[in-house]
Amino acid sequence: MSRLNLNSIFSWVDSHIIDYPTAMNLNYNWSFGSSAGFCLVIQILSGAFLAMHYAGEAHYAFSSVEHIMRDVKSGWLIRYFANGASFFFIVVYAHLFRGLYYGSYMGPRQQLWWSGAIIYVLMMATAFTGYVLPWGQMSFWGATVITSLFSIFPFIGKEVVMWLWGGFTVGNPTLNRFFSLHYLLPFIIAGLVFVHLGLLHKDGSNNPLGIKTKVANVNFYPYMYVKDLVAFFALLSALSVVIFYLPNSLGDPDNYLEADPYGTPAHIVPEWYFLPFYAILRVIPNKVGGILTMGGAIAIIFLYPLLNTSILRSANFRPIYAVVFWLFFADFCLLAWSGTTPVDDYFKIVGAVVSIGYFAFFVFGGLFVGWLEKTLAFRALVE
């Protein structure tokens, strides 16, 4: 029986990893998925070691992090591996933008796109709960602001917020809840990654041409794994530079102060990977409207495959869409910058413009550009 199981395992590895048919024209843009998997492994392992020394109690949480940094052997290294969360989001954003550019959201890969979007949402939840755990100033007030958003639910909003807090304010029960969720969510993400890979292998990878290439496929090993290996070492090198030379460059200075319920930071700003959505949230003066708009900014990622009207995949053959895509990329960067700016009339106007641009891409790029391409192609055939 054990021999049969081993044969099944070897057969699965052979068909899904070694002899897996891969389009021979894949470039390094297709290495972001494996890099994201590497980041997930780093986060799970470093999180497990940190949990061995972390005290999930409001009076000791901040001190326990300092204890890890100063007293635990190589604790500073394990702690700074938390920077891997930023790199995780970097490669996931690159993975997402690559999918948008090359049309990986189009049929028959809609389910693959939706599974990736679910993973992205769970990543955001995991990152938020983890940001609270050091119990610094920004952790405490970030938790207060974000959890308060759930109060918009009619009738049950206040009860939901109090359940999240475990009381009338953010405190020790809140920290315990977030610690538990932060430990659990990465394993759920890991399970969904296997679902994501299963859907990928069911429909096959997209490629820069956006066409089926069954006659131009090669085995993943030894041809394509080399590109993933190069991407792995590039990512490891960049992460090492940040860990050893710029370990605090991605953190907020206020979070190196212990949480003080009586002293609000001058500017409550989330981590950089939340900034585009934070900018959309605060551009709407109405609380309910801002939350719904921010939720819509995430929901529209799920809806985009349904909005698409183009018959072509790759932006290499869609010059109008390529221009719209790069404008969207610039708009997304401006949104992130807008989330760091003070709330005044000038920056609110900029935030409003780039927020409109964010939604315009999904509507204009999905519905109108495809229709325009078909119209121009038809006119070219007629002429």
Side-chain angles (χ1 to χ4, degrees), residues 210-285:
I211 59 175
K212 293 183 179 179
T213 58
K214 288 186 178 180
V215 296
N217 288 341
V218 294
N219 292 342
F220 180 79
Y221 179 89
Y223 298 102
M224 288 301 164
Y225 96 100
V226 175
K227 290 185 176 180
D228 285 350
L229 199 62
V230 171
F232 162 77
F233 282 113
L235 177 65
L236 186 62
S237 299
L239 181 58
S240 298
V241 169
V242 172
I243 288 174
F244 293 111
Y245 296 100
L246 303 164
N248 299 312
S249 59
L250 299 174
D252 192 289
D254 281 331
N255 222 33
Y256 295 94
L257 301 173
E258 189 170 2
D260 179 9
Y262 303 104
T264 309
H267 301 287
I268 300 176
V269 180
E271 290 286 78
W272 68 266
Y273 34 79
F274 294 137
L275 286 174
F277 303 103
Y278 176 69
I280 293 173
L281 168 68
R282 71 179 194 172
V283 80
I284 307 294

Side-chain angles (χ1 to χ4, degrees), residues 125-286:
T126 306
F128 169 64
T129 54
Y131 191 56
V132 176
L133 300 186
W135 210 241
Q137 270 288 72
M138 201 58 69
S139 297
F140 178 87
W141 288 102
T144 302
V145 171
I146 298 302
T147 52
S148 296
L149 300 181
F150 289 91
S151 64
I152 68 162
F153 291 112
F155 307 113
I156 62 170
K158 291 182 178 179
E159 284 73 15
V160 170
V161 173
M162 290 183 64
W163 177 82
L164 288 171
W165 288 350
F168 295 100
T169 60
V170 172
N172 191 63
T174 317
L175 183 61
N176 286 330
R177 283 163 166 74
F178 280 32
F179 184 31
S180 178
L181 286 172
H182 186 68
Y183 202 92
L184 175 65
L185 286 173
F187 295 101
I188 298 176
I189 292 174
L192 284 173
V193 166
F194 283 100
V195 174
H196 191 62
L197 289 173
L199 292 170
L200 171 67
H201 287 198
K202 179 177 76 72
D203 299 318
S205 298
N206 191 19
N207 61 82
L209 296 178
I211 59 175
K212 293 183 179 179
T213 58
K214 288 186 178 180
V215 296
N217 288 341
V218 294
N219 292 342
F220 180 79
Y221 179 89
Y223 298 102
M224 288 301 164
Y225 96 100
V226 175
K227 290 185 176 180
D228 285 350
L229 199 62
V230 171
F232 162 77
F233 282 113
L235 177 65
L236 186 62
S237 299
L239 181 58
S240 298
V241 169
V242 172
I243 288 174
F244 293 111
Y245 296 100
L246 303 164
N248 299 312
S249 59
L250 299 174
D252 192 289
D254 281 331
N255 222 33
Y256 295 94
L257 301 173
E258 189 170 2
D260 179 9
Y262 303 104
T264 309
H267 301 287
I268 300 176
V269 180
E271 290 286 78
W272 68 266
Y273 34 79
F274 294 137
L275 286 174
F277 303 103
Y278 176 69
I280 293 173
L281 168 68
R282 71 179 194 172
V283 80
I284 307 294
N286 179 268

Side-chain angles (χ1 to χ4, degrees), residues 6 24 64 83 108 148 155 264:
L6 283 175
M24 64 188 304
S64 70
N83 285 308
S148 296
F155 307 113
T264 309

Side-chain angles (χ1 to χ4, degrees), residues 46 59 65 101 106 150 156 164 203 218 227 262 269 280 333 354 359-360 362 367 377:
S46 62
H59 292 94
V65 174
Y101 187 84
M106 297 170 62
F150 289 91
I156 62 170
L164 288 171
D203 299 318
V218 294
K227 290 185 176 180
Y262 303 104
V269 180
I280 293 173
C333 294
V354 291
F359 289 98
F362 290 98
L367 293 173

Side-chain angles (χ1 to χ4, degrees), residues 64-82:
S64 70
V65 174
E66 292 301 308
H67 165 68
I68 291 169
M69 291 290 295
R70 301 172 190 276
D71 303 324
V72 176
K73 187 175 181 179
S74 300
W76 63 271
L77 180 60
I78 302 171
R79 171 73 173 86
Y80 283 147
F81 262 114

Side-chain angles (χ1 to χ4, degrees), residues 5 13 43 75 87 103 128 145 168 192 198 240 260-261 291 294 305 316 327 340 353 361:
N5 288 337
V13 171
Q43 292 304 104
F87 280 83
F128 169 64
V145 171
F168 295 100
L192 284 173
S240 298
D260 179 9
I291 295 171
M294 182 184 68
N316 289 337
L327 287 174
T340 66
V353 171
F361 166 76

